[in-house]
Amino acid sequence: MEYIVDGGRRLHGEIEVYGAKNCALALLGATVLTKDAVTLKNCPEIADVENMLALLVSMGKKIVRENDTVTVWGELTTICAPRNIATLLRGSALVLGSTVAKYGKIALPLPGGCAIGARPMDIHIDGLRALGVETMIDDEMVSCCGSPEGTNYKLRFASVGATENMLCACALAKGTSRLYNCATEPEVVALEQMLVQMGATIYGVGGSDLTIVGTDELHGTEFDIIPDRIVTATYLSATVATLGDVTVTKCIPQHLDAFLSVLSPHFCVKKYDDAVKLNAMRPASGYGDVSTAPYPGFPTDMQSLLLSLACVAEGTTHIEEKLFENRLMHNATELSRMGADIAISGNIATVKGRKLHPAVVTAKDLRGGAGLVIATLSANGKSTVKGVEHINRGYSDLAQNLCKLGAKITVVD
Ligand code: EPZ
């Protein structure tokens, strides 16, 4: 699938944000913790969520989707996750902790996902072993056996997925667990909140040090998936790239503080309770030095967006990608086809902004694809973005939504 982008048009108007992919995937993984019905509202209609639902169904869960509301219930009938689905997305890793906690075993093919780096699972494995779960990993499969027993554990890195798996494993563990250096991304906090609604006892919700008192069972609940902060940043980036004036609604502005602090010195940014209005009258004069970091630092998922904005600024930007080793190079190569001036040294990109010209570019990962769309929106004339299937993993109707704001994008199957 490809986008034909007729760039150079200012975006304007208002656009709503839908539920966050990375929140939906974590909460769907946690539905394994109870046979009761768990209803998730504001659940995005994107490929990764559909694949996660297919994974749960293939393991025995029952699901019903009514528009953006999904209900999941029932017992697993197998602890073996099917390879053909598990390898489609990274999110499949998020059934590890919940399945081990509820059923005492799991056989999970190593997850798929973006080609942004090696994406090992050593922290997930090490954490489960600390909980007394026998865990084996080879180059294809993670196998676990044993029920978690409360422990104290410090994550060597504040891994989002590892924190989410440990939260689920500890929620049904025998005894109390203290977890240190946990991720504090909004999607992780939403999982903590939903687990408490399901009957878990968690102290320190929202912080990096958590105490979880294990319980025998958890019950069903209803939960509103939080708005997607990366999609919000994507719409705002498209506005900047086209010197537009857009209001993004149904979002949580404080989830984008690090991103907005980079943009707000250059543009008129107004934050409301559940909306952000950005009016870009002129290009930025470069964005200085930006390094990605775990929340609340500058999110790695917004790095691809900023790389494109740096390319069309009127100055120099240095971007350091500290989380995923392959997240810079591919897009830098593709953006240079549009005339971008990007020099990569190690994990640092030095970008000298200039006007880009249209080109044919290829997406290789989800957020990189969004970054390429943003760059083509700024270039006057027709560009082609290939590999749109990567974009569809995490964005619902990106082209259609940008067209609502005045973009001219044709989708070619
Ligand atoms: C989650 O991935 C997100 N995915 C990613 O979003 C996001 O980029 C990432 O968190 C960081 O914010 C989902 O939530 C489904 P990590 P995850 O474990 O959990 C290293 C998107 O575009 N690490 O926080 O896989 C790892 O290699 C996706 O929506 C280990 O070394 O990220 C990386 O360098 C892309 N060992 C760093 O930690 C481990 O066991 C951050 O990874 C686990 C991670």
Side-chain angles (χ1 to χ4, degrees):
M1 183 182 279
E2 300 175 354
Y3 286 165
I4 310 297
V5 181
D6 192 356
R9 300 159 182 267
R10 287 185 76 246
L11 299 193
H12 52 85
E14 199 169 286
I15 187 86
E16 275 185 15
V17 172
Y18 41 81
K21 165 177 91 82
N22 294 344
C23 181
L25 295 175
L27 302 188
L28 286 169
T31 62
V32 173
L33 289 167
T34 179
K35 68 182 183 320
D36 294 355
V38 176
T39 295
L40 302 177
K41 296 180 179 171
N42 199 24
C43 190
E45 297 179 60
I46 55 177
D48 267 16
V49 166
E50 298 315 304
N51 287 327
M52 189 73 170
L53 289 170
L55 179 70
L56 292 170
V57 167
S58 72
M59 295 178 76
K61 296 297 271 191
K62 307 266 188 298
I63 66 161
V64 165
R65 180 193 262 278
E66 288 156 5
N67 302 319
D68 69 350
T69 299
V70 170
T71 299
V72 184
W73 73 97
E75 295 282 8
L76 291 192
T77 54
T78 174
I79 51 88
C80 298
R83 176 174 304 283
N84 63 323
I85 304 178
T87 51
L88 292 174
L89 71 159
R90 175 78 182 179
S92 55
L94 300 177
V95 297
L96 194 64
S98 52
T99 305
V100 166
K102 181 84 165 52
Y103 299 94
K105 57 173 80 170
I106 185 170
L108 176 73
L110 286 180
C114 295
I116 55 178
R119 308 191 79 176
M121 290 191 66
D122 60 295
I123 304 172
H124 301 246
I125 305 303
D126 191 44
L128 289 173
R129 284 175 176 159
L131 288 167
V133 175
E134 204 179 314
T135 303
M136 281 74 72
I137 180 166
D138 59 28
D139 56 3
E140 293 208 329
M141 180 82 76
V142 178
S143 306
C144 300
C145 187
S147 295
E149 293 182 10
T151 188
N152 295 345
Y153 183 74
K154 179 173 182 179
L155 285 79
R156 71 170 177 79
F157 179 85
S159 156
V160 168
T163 301
E164 290 163 344
N165 270 327
M166 289 300 283
L167 276 166
C168 289
C170 294
L172 288 181
K174 292 180 193 64
T176 296
S177 300
R178 287 176 184 77
L179 301 180
Y180 303 99
N181 193 32
C182 295
T184 59
E185 272 71 357
E187 297 78 24
V188 178
V189 177
L191 173 61
E192 292 161 15
Q193 291 165 339
M194 189 179 86
L195 290 172
V196 168
Q197 281 185 201
M198 293 168 73
T201 303
I202 302 177
Y203 299 107
V205 168
S208 55
D209 296 343
L210 300 170
T211 298
I212 303 132
V213 180
T215 183
D216 292 338
E217 69 174 16
L218 294 173
H219 53 72
T221 190
E222 281 198 6
F223 196 86
D224 282 334
I225 290 174
I226 60 172
D228 197 314
R229 58 195 168 103
I230 318 293
V231 171
T232 305
T234 303
Y235 292 147
L236 293 172
S237 298
T239 305
V240 168
T242 60
L243 297 179
D245 181 0
V246 168
T247 302
V248 182
T249 62
K250 285 194 168 181
C251 64
I252 301 179
Q254 60 266 32
H255 286 173
L256 297 114
D257 278 348
F259 179 76
L260 292 177
S261 64
V262 170
L263 296 190
S264 47
H266 305 279
F267 312 109
C268 177
V269 177
K270 284 204 183 80
K271 292 193 250 187
Y272 302 92
D273 285 348
D274 65 350
V276 177
K277 179 177 177 5
L278 188 149
N279 187 359
M281 275 79 80
R282 69 187 66 80
S285 54
Y287 296 97
D289 296 352
V290 179
S291 292
T292 61
Y295 198 86
F298 191 93
T300 176
D301 289 349
M302 297 182 196
Q303 176 262 95
S304 318
L305 310 178
L306 183 67
L307 182 65
S308 291
L309 295 185
C311 289
V312 298
E314 287 179 346
T316 301
T317 304
H318 298 277
I319 299 175
E320 183 183 26
E321 170 55 61
K322 298 183 78 172
L323 273 82
F324 290 110
E325 63 276 17
N326 293 343
R327 200 157 209 177
L328 265 179
M329 184 55 80
H330 178 76
N331 262 37
T333 306
E334 294 305 303
L335 290 163
S336 62
R337 295 179 203 283
M338 301 179 71
D341 179 349
I342 307 176
I344 302 263
S345 168
N347 63 346
I348 297 176
T350 299
V351 188
K352 294 193 176 90
R354 60 199 308 193
K355 193 76 184 130
L356 298 185
H357 58 71
V360 177
V361 292
T362 303
K364 193 177 163 194
D365 72 79
L366 164 62
R367 309 301 175 187
L372 293 176
V373 171
I374 284 157
T376 60
L377 286 171
S378 78
N380 290 323
K382 286 193 178 178
S383 297
T384 299
V385 179
K386 296 178 175 231
V388 168
E389 58 280 2
H390 293 288
I391 297 174
N392 293 339
R393 282 187 47 214
Y395 289 89
S396 176
D397 296 330
L398 180 61
Q400 186 182 334
N401 284 317
L402 291 171
C403 289
K404 281 180 193 165
L405 295 171
K408 193 172 176 194
I409 304 175
T410 309
V411 182
V412 177
D413 255 326

